[in-house]
Amino acid sequence: MNYIKAFAPATVANVACGFDIFGFAIQEPGDVVEVRRIDKPGIVIKEITGDDGRLPRAAEKNAVTVVMLHLLKHLGITDLGCEVTLHKNMPLGSGMGSSAASAVAGVVAINELLGNPLTRGELLRFAMEGERIASGSAHADNVGPSLLGGFVVIRSYTPLDIFSIPVPDDLYCTLVHPDIEINTKDARYILRNEVSLKNTIAQMGNVAGLVAGLMKADYDLISRSMVDVIIEPVRSILIPEFNEVKKAAINNGALGCSISGSGPSIFALSRGMENARKAGEAMKQTFADAGIDSTLHLSGINQGGATVLERE
Amino acid sequence: MNYIKAFAPATVANVACGFDIFGFAIQEPGDVVEVRRIDKPGIVIKEITGDDGRLPRAAEKNAVTVVMLHLLKHLGITDLGCEVTLHKNMPLGSGMGSSAASAVAGVVAINELLGNPLTRGELLRFAMEGERIASGSAHADNVGPSLLGGFVVIRSYTPLDIFSIPVPDDLYCTLVHPDIEINTKDARYILRNEVSLKNTIAQMGNVAGLVAGLMKADYDLISRSMVDVIIEPVRSILIPEFNEVKKAAINNGALGCSISGSGPSIFALSRGMENARKAGEAMKQTFADAGIDSTLHLSGINQGGATVLERE
């Protein structure tokens, strides 16, 4: 292969109660990475679109190429030369798993270019290195679902233990991105290092309820379990109109609503596309009433994860 | 009806990672309660067997009759007279849900005597009052499974939200009760009120893993998820030989092993009765090597919960 074009979807991490352990992929948007072999050894970034010039252009500083460099080092490959183009199709610092989508598309593209020496599961830890660059910690709740698709649970980080659970067919995601920005590092920094035992128990109950609700296709249980007593009360302070937007989603048919990743995007899950749309329009209108522009995405759950779009 | 005899099974609460939210019932042992109508209004305890005279004989102080009094009050019944006999078939303060089994058998018996005015689900909160008498807090992780059977998740206490999840057919429980006693109130007292966010995340991952593992019948995932980083490290200090007994269980085929409820009983889950037996014998031998007598129970998961044994 001389040329690969790969797509990796946006993702919703945390999913209300599952801080750092839950994430799911949506169908769109997603980032696209192109890699093309060149004669001169080394990885260079040829072009980045859609980032308004904000991402680093040096290969050793950009998540998309850092993951490639890690993978090449792991495989002992020193003579490969390639040019990388990254098409950012979602905003930076949006809570939609932007850096994860770039890193995953990058690692899938280079692996395909090399004839797939590694499996999807094996690619995970390389993609996580991209997250370390972006947020300071190598979490997997965005890269996991972006790479593998579906609803993903990270049972453990050391050792890494990740698995997928089935979701009901009729589950749809609404994702509303207000035109403000939160730095992921800041969003982590404001969290307390200690949690009350009482809140830990409440959160565990909701984690158990959400897993069982998804696996049983019990929409009421999913709805009752989409409660976050630990992270949302702290992080939501950073998102103007959060409580009103959440109320609008719930009052307009959503099963539940919370912060997507570290925000500022807000997601809702609904039964059926029509409810997802109704909730989304109400959420967008609530932001608009407060003078905040926002972008609305409606999508089913992406079951396949990252894909290769073109090969040459 | 003039006479009812009811059985309620022993239970394993917490189940490693699920402090206060998980519990399951086993087939035996279990407590038996007899209620017989008498002419004189009021509830009296006629006899208690198997408790070495340690349980209170006053109806307003014993869990088994307290739950009956609560239920009668709720129903507005003031003229019922009955004599209650309680057969304790498991030791007090054992971590086998002893007080829960008595309370559940009591509430099921009196409800049956009255012609079942309440459903099983409705009986739950009355049975929880028995737990409040015994342990100082009305938790549901023993009474829930003893009443309803199966593997029970308490998603929320306020409001009470409890549901069952399926378990694989080939899952067996080993329960070893060493001949020492722990007071449930003490076992709660030594717990810290704060948990690190890191441990909360780890515990949530295991909660999600155990629910998914049970529902998928994925024994490896069940095994990997039976990890408690919050409660077991603290409470196990109260149980002599805990680490050695746990090691013996794991080394002899158990999927996982932890404290049953607040201890001192130790439970293991295994795939197949033969592994459950092998693990149990190794656990019992480990206690014996340290000079501690213990009682071994082997059982499948009880799917039905409390039952009425006789009616007259």
Side-chain angles (χ1 to χ4, degrees):
Chain A
M1 296 286 174
N2 286 311
Y3 169 83
I4 301 293
K5 186 177 186 176
F7 166 90
T11 43
V12 171
N14 301 344
V15 198
C17 50
F19 181 63
D20 275 4
I21 70 157
F22 287 160
F24 63 84
I26 58 178
Q27 280 153 355
E28 50 184 32
D31 285 352
V32 172
V33 167
E34 299 174 84
V35 289
R36 186 179 297 278
R37 280 185 197 266
I38 53 172
D39 290 335
K40 192 182 165 199
I43 291 184
V44 291
I45 294 180
K46 184 186 168 200
E47 189 187 2
I48 300 178
T49 67
D51 76 328
D52 293 328
R54 294 174 53 202
L55 287 173
R57 263 58 184 173
E60 69 280 9
K61 289 189 179 166
N62 190 306
V64 71
T65 37
V66 163
V67 296
M68 296 181 184
L69 291 168
H70 274 277
L71 191 132
L72 292 179
K73 190 177 171 192
H74 170 77
L75 295 172
I77 296 173
T78 54
D79 58 348
L80 181 76
C82 63
E83 276 179 350
V84 176
T85 303
L86 166 63
H87 303 285
K88 287 297 309 170
N89 294 321
M90 63 190 94
L92 310 180
S94 59
M96 295 165 66
S98 176
S99 58
S102 296
V104 167
V107 83
V108 165
I110 193 100
N111 192 50
E112 185 81 14
L113 192 77
L114 296 169
N116 289 308
L118 298 183
T119 65
R120 279 287 164 105
E122 289 167 342
L123 291 180
L124 185 64
R125 68 187 179 92
F126 297 98
M128 285 170 72
E129 285 304 316
E131 285 295 67
R132 194 194 302 276
I133 295 290
S135 77
S137 72
H139 55 291
D141 47 355
N142 289 111
V143 291
S146 186
L147 185 64
L148 307 170
F151 192 103
V152 161
V153 177
I154 299 112
R155 189 198 63 79
S156 156
Y157 277 86
T158 47
L160 188 63
D161 185 0
I162 183 168
F163 61 90
S164 294
I165 55 173
V167 296
D169 290 340
D170 211 22
L171 196 68
Y172 285 84
C173 176
T174 306
L175 195 56
V176 178
H177 175 243
D179 191 14
I180 57 172
E181 195 169 314
I182 287 179
N183 185 297
T184 307
K185 285 179 189 169
D186 291 348
R188 289 213 156 228
Y189 185 75
I190 62 166
L191 300 177
R192 290 182 58 222
N193 285 325
E194 299 272 304
V195 179
S196 70
L197 181 58
K198 189 173 162 236
N199 277 349
T200 299
I201 294 165
Q203 199 88 347
M204 293 193 310
N206 288 317
V207 162
L210 187 52
V211 171
L214 290 168
M215 292 183 73
K216 287 180 182 201
D218 179 338
Y219 292 93
D220 283 342
L221 181 54
I222 292 169
S223 180
R224 298 198 303 277
S225 304
M226 285 180 67
V227 176
D228 175 6
V229 298
I230 297 175
I231 307 297
E232 184 185 296
V234 181
R235 281 195 173 161
S236 61
I237 297 162
L238 299 176
I239 306 172
E241 305 302 312
F242 175 80
N243 291 328
E244 291 68 22
V245 171
K246 178 173 175 169
K247 214 174 291 169
I250 305 290
N251 290 345
N252 285 278
L255 299 168
C257 173
S258 186
I259 304 167
S260 179
S262 51
S265 291
I266 302 177
F267 83 99
L269 287 176
S270 298
R271 182 173 194 169
M273 183 55 123
E274 207 31 56
N275 282 329
R277 186 187 312 278
K278 217 176 117 199
E281 281 163 5
M283 292 163 77
K284 192 172 160 56
Q285 186 60 48
T286 307
F287 272 127
D289 290 346
I292 299 169
D293 281 341
S294 65
T295 311
L296 170 61
H297 303 278
L298 298 171
S299 174
I301 310 300
N302 180 328
Q303 295 294 354
T307 49
V308 173
L309 301 175
E310 289 177 36
R311 296 172 184 82
E312 269 172 32
Chain B
M1 296 285 172
N2 286 312
Y3 169 82
I4 301 292
K5 185 177 186 177
F7 167 90
T11 43
V12 171
N14 300 345
V15 198
C17 50
F19 180 64
D20 275 3
I21 69 158
F22 287 159
F24 65 84
I26 58 178
Q27 280 153 354
E28 50 184 33
D31 285 352
V32 172
V33 166
E34 298 174 84
V35 290
R36 186 179 296 280
R37 280 184 197 267
I38 53 173
D39 289 336
K40 192 181 167 201
I43 291 184
V44 291
I45 294 180
K46 184 185 168 201
E47 190 187 2
I48 301 178
T49 67
D51 75 328
D52 292 328
R54 294 174 53 203
L55 287 173
R57 262 59 183 171
E60 69 281 9
K61 288 188 178 166
N62 189 308
V64 72
T65 36
V66 162
V67 296
M68 297 181 184
L69 292 168
H70 274 276
L71 192 132
L72 292 179
K73 190 177 171 193
H74 170 77
L75 294 172
I77 297 173
T78 54
D79 58 349
L80 180 77
C82 64
E83 275 179 351
V84 176
T85 303
L86 167 63
H87 303 284
K88 286 296 311 168
N89 294 321
M90 63 190 97
L92 311 180
S94 59
M96 296 165 65
S98 177
S99 58
S102 296
V104 167
V107 83
V108 166
I110 194 99
N111 192 50
E112 185 81 15
L113 192 78
L114 297 169
N116 289 307
L118 298 184
T119 64
R120 279 287 163 106
E122 289 167 342
L123 291 180
L124 185 63
R125 68 185 178 94
F126 297 99
M128 285 170 72
E129 286 304 317
E131 285 295 67
R132 194 193 302 277
I133 295 291
S135 76
S137 73
H139 55 290
D141 47 353
N142 290 111
V143 292
S146 186
L147 184 64
L148 308 170
F151 191 104
V152 161
V153 177
I154 300 111
R155 189 197 63 79
S156 157
Y157 277 86
T158 46
L160 189 63
D161 185 0
I162 183 169
F163 61 90
S164 294
I165 55 172
V167 296
D169 290 341
D170 211 22
L171 195 68
Y172 286 83
C173 177
T174 305
L175 196 54
V176 178
H177 175 243
D179 191 15
I180 57 174
E181 195 168 313
I182 287 179
N183 184 297
T184 307
K185 286 179 191 171
D186 291 347
R188 290 213 157 229
Y189 185 73
I190 62 165
L191 298 178
R192 290 181 59 222
N193 285 325
E194 298 272 304
V195 180
S196 70
L197 181 59
K198 191 174 160 234
N199 277 348
T200 299
I201 294 165
Q203 199 88 347
M204 294 194 309
N206 287 317
V207 162
L210 187 51
V211 171
L214 290 167
M215 292 182 73
K216 289 180 181 201
D218 180 337
Y219 292 94
D220 282 342
L221 181 54
I222 292 169
S223 180
R224 298 198 303 277
S225 304
M226 286 181 67
V227 177
D228 175 6
V229 297
I230 298 175
I231 307 298
E232 184 185 297
V234 181
R235 281 193 173 163
S236 61
I237 296 163
L238 299 176
I239 306 171
E241 305 303 311
F242 174 80
N243 292 329
E244 291 69 21
V245 171
K246 179 173 175 169
K247 215 173 292 168
I250 304 290
N251 290 345
N252 284 277
L255 298 168
C257 173
S258 187
I259 304 167
S260 179
S262 52
S265 290
I266 301 177
F267 83 100
L269 287 175
S270 298
R271 181 173 194 169
M273 183 55 123
E274 207 31 55
N275 281 329
R277 186 187 313 279
K278 219 176 117 201
E281 282 164 4
M283 293 162 76
K284 192 171 159 60
Q285 186 60 49
T286 306
F287 273 127
D289 291 346
I292 299 168
D293 281 341
S294 65
T295 310
L296 171 60
H297 302 278
L298 297 172
S299 174
I301 310 301
N302 179 328
Q303 296 293 354
T307 48
V308 174
L309 301 175
E310 288 177 36
R311 297 173 184 81
E312 270 170 30

